[in-house]
């Protein structure tokens, strides 16, 4: 009988063999670089930790199971995962990428991938006709949904129909919702990207990245590339991410509950011009989210009526931290213009809606009364009350 996702976060069915680890409830950290061979031509199944490590393998099988893929690979960061993924392509290949992406992805594409001869078209995939941008040399479509930070929602299944018709790869960065709320492979994607630093780890204490696929040919290629380039996640960090995943369900549920309440509160504030949260019925992607996801997540973006208000909020929060990143138990507030999207040209940022008045919030699991109390105090100070 298939287990529910909350249980799968804690129990990897095929690995319920704690008797082989002296009954340990926590999968051990195999802090070793190499492994002794029983004899010539024989192996324990592990030879060198750049190739594979038991702790890393356990984590990868957990993530693959939760994302309904056949294989998952753990990397030293989300950007390491995306960088390796780009090795699937060669000079002259063309990719269609979402116009509103994490700034690090845009930086990689613009300053590394283009230098390596790969061509890109930036498209608002949530509203434009993606098929109209396909060329003879187009190889893949790369999206986030919801996007970072403007929370645009793309219909994954509809886009997958287009990519399959044209024999293209569909790559989905699933970091914002996590595999707890959304499974793009089930909707037709070929590759899923995660920054494991975020919700999967959940405690802002380590970096990680993942690539997940349901295709044997892509899995084989990724395994060759990770062995060759050496960006695999170290055993201790694998342990931390595995530990984080165990509480993923309760963290995501609580953070989402808090995000909904904060989003509602922000809508009532006179110094806030816009609140973007896909859980609002008026959000253009609301119905798509209901169809393709199990929740709306804990990320929200809001725009102040003046840039000065944004600055004052950032300078006056205390329990809520002014910091980059997202997905931890702590609530963080980010200024995309100078943090996550600092390397994106200003004209592109503004075109995407990332003005100097925009703040992004990753809502944590604190008591909602404390979060709202701090926001009320900070906003009162901003208003000069």
């Amino acid at each position: 009988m298939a287990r529910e996702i909350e249980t799968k976060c804690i129990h990897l069915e095929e690995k319920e063999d704690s008797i082989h680890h002296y009954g340990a409830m926590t999968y051990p950290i195999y802090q070793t670089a190499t492994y002794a061979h029983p004899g010539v031509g024989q192996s324990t199944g592990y030879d060198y930790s750049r190739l594979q490590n038991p702790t890393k393998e356990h984590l990868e099988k957990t993530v693959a199971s939760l994302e309904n893929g056949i294989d998952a690979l753990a990397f030293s960061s989300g950007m390491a995962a995306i960088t390796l993924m780009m090795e699937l392509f060669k000079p002259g290949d063309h990719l269609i990428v979402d116009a509103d992406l994490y700034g690090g992805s845009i930086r990689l594409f613009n300053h590394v991938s283009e230098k390596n001869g790969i061509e890109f078209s930036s498209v608002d995939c949530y509203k434009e006709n993606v098929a109209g941008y396909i060329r003879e040399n187009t190889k893949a479509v790369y999206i986030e949904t919801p996007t970072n930070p403007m929370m645009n929602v793309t219909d994954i299944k509809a886009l997958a129909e287009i990519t399959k018709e044209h024999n293209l790869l569909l790559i989905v960065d699933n970091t914002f919702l996590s595999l707890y709320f959304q499974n793009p492979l089930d909707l037709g994607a070929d590759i899923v990207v995660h920054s494991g630093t975020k919700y999967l780890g959940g405690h802002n204490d380590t970096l990680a990245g993942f690539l997940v696929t349901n295709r044997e040919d892509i899995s084989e290629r990724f395994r060759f590339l990770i062995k060759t380039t050496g960006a695999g996640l170290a055993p201790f960090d694998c342990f931390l991410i595995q530990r984080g995943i165990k509480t993923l369900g309760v963290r995501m549920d609580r953070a989402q509950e808090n995000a909904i309440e904060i989003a509602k509160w922000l809508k009532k504030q006179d110094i806030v011009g816009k609140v973007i949260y896909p859980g609002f019925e008026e959000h253009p992607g609301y119905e798509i989210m209901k169809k393709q996801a199990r929740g709306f997540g804990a990320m929200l973006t809001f725009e102040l009526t003046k840039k000065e208000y944004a600055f004052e909020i950032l300078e006056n929060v205390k329990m809520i931290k002014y910091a980059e990143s997202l997905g931890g138990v702590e609530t963080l507030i980010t200024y995309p213009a100078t943090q996550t999207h600092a390397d994106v040209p200003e004209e592109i940022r503004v075109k995407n809606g990332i003005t100097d008045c925009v703040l992004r919030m990753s809502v944590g699991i604190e008591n909602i009364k404390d979060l709202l109390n701090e926001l009320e105090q900070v906003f009162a100070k901003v208003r000069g009350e």
Side-chain angles (χ1 to χ4, degrees), residues 60-84:
E60 290 174 338
K61 287 184 175 181
T62 299
V63 172
S65 173
L66 290 167
E67 198 61 276
N68 299 325
I70 63 167
D71 196 12
L73 294 87
F75 295 85
S76 56
S77 70
M79 288 311 304
I82 298 171
T83 300
L84 181 135

Side-chain angles (χ1 to χ4, degrees), residues 36 41 48 72 101 106 121 163 171 196 203 210 213 275 283 293 296 332 372:
Y48 190 59
L101 292 174
I106 296 173
S121 293
T163 57
I171 304 158
H203 291 77
F210 292 91
T213 185
V275 181
H283 189 286
F296 298 102
L332 305 181
L372 291 176

Side-chain angles (χ1 to χ4, degrees), residues 75-272:
F75 295 85
S76 56
S77 70
M79 288 311 304
I82 298 171
T83 300
L84 181 135
M85 182 206 70
M86 291 304 296
E87 293 299 320
L88 292 177
F89 309 106
K90 63 183 187 303
D93 286 349
H94 170 251
L95 274 69
I96 297 168
V97 301
D98 210 305
D100 184 40
L101 292 174
Y102 166 56
S105 300
I106 296 173
R107 181 172 57 237
L108 174 70
F109 298 157
N110 290 352
H111 297 284
V112 179
S113 302
E114 283 190 351
K115 177 263 295 180
N116 292 338
I118 299 172
E119 303 169 5
F120 295 89
S121 293
S122 294
V123 179
D124 285 317
C125 294
Y126 75 102
K127 66 178 181 179
E128 293 192 63
N129 176 24
V130 173
Y133 292 86
I134 296 173
R135 309 173 187 171
E136 286 188 8
N137 60 334
T138 304
K139 303 298 181 183
V141 178
Y142 182 101
I143 67 168
E144 298 171 355
T145 181
T147 60
N148 181 1
M150 299 311 294
M151 310 301 291
N152 300 321
V153 175
T154 298
D155 188 325
I156 299 173
K157 190 174 182 180
L159 184 55
E161 291 174 0
I162 295 172
T163 57
K164 290 190 186 323
E165 179 184 348
H166 294 273
N167 197 29
L168 309 177
L169 293 177
L170 177 55
I171 304 158
V172 180
D173 186 326
N174 198 27
T175 299
F176 262 28
L177 286 184
S178 88
L179 41 72
Y180 181 73
F181 281 140
Q182 182 171 265
N183 298 121
L185 295 179
D186 292 347
L187 300 165
D190 301 288
I191 299 168
V192 173
V193 178
H194 286 279
S195 173
T197 310
K198 312 305 192 295
Y199 287 110
L200 300 187
H203 291 77
N204 290 318
D205 58 7
T206 193
L207 303 180
F210 292 91
L211 295 176
V212 193
T213 185
N214 54 8
R215 286 178 46 170
E216 290 284 357
D217 57 334
I218 295 175
S219 168
E220 290 176 11
R221 184 64 179 155
F222 281 163
R223 285 290 163 191
F224 174 82
L225 288 168
I226 197 171
K227 172 179 71 173
T228 303
T229 59
L233 190 61
F236 185 71
D237 299 286
C238 289
F239 163 79
L240 290 175
I241 300 296
Q242 183 78 46
R243 183 179 66 170
I245 289 174
K246 289 184 177 183
T247 60
L248 179 64
V250 291
R251 287 188 288 105
M252 294 301 295
D253 286 338
R254 175 62 172 269
Q256 178 177 246
E257 290 173 9
N258 285 349
I260 292 169
E261 293 304 312
I262 289 175
K264 290 177 180 177
W265 183 87
L266 286 168
K267 284 180 72 174
K268 300 174 183 176
Q269 307 309 306
D270 56 357
I271 63 172
V272 176

Side-chain angles (χ1 to χ4, degrees), residues 3-58:
R3 292 175 175 174
E4 298 298 326
I5 190 166
E6 295 90 344
T7 305
K8 288 171 68 177
C9 285
I10 302 169
H11 301 281
L12 179 60
E13 292 181 64
E14 68 174 83
K15 281 290 183 180
E16 290 190 332
D17 57 353
S18 63
I19 188 68
H20 297 120
H21 302 288
Y22 306 98
M25 293 300 297
T26 300
Y27 198 89
I29 305 171
Y30 284 87
Q31 194 66 45
T32 182
T34 193
Y35 308 81
H37 296 286
V40 177
Q42 300 179 44
S43 172
T44 61
Y46 304 95
D47 303 315
Y48 190 59
S49 281
R50 175 162 50 79
L51 281 67
Q52 192 51 292
N53 172 283
T55 313
K56 178 169 172 283
E57 182 179 61
H58 181 72

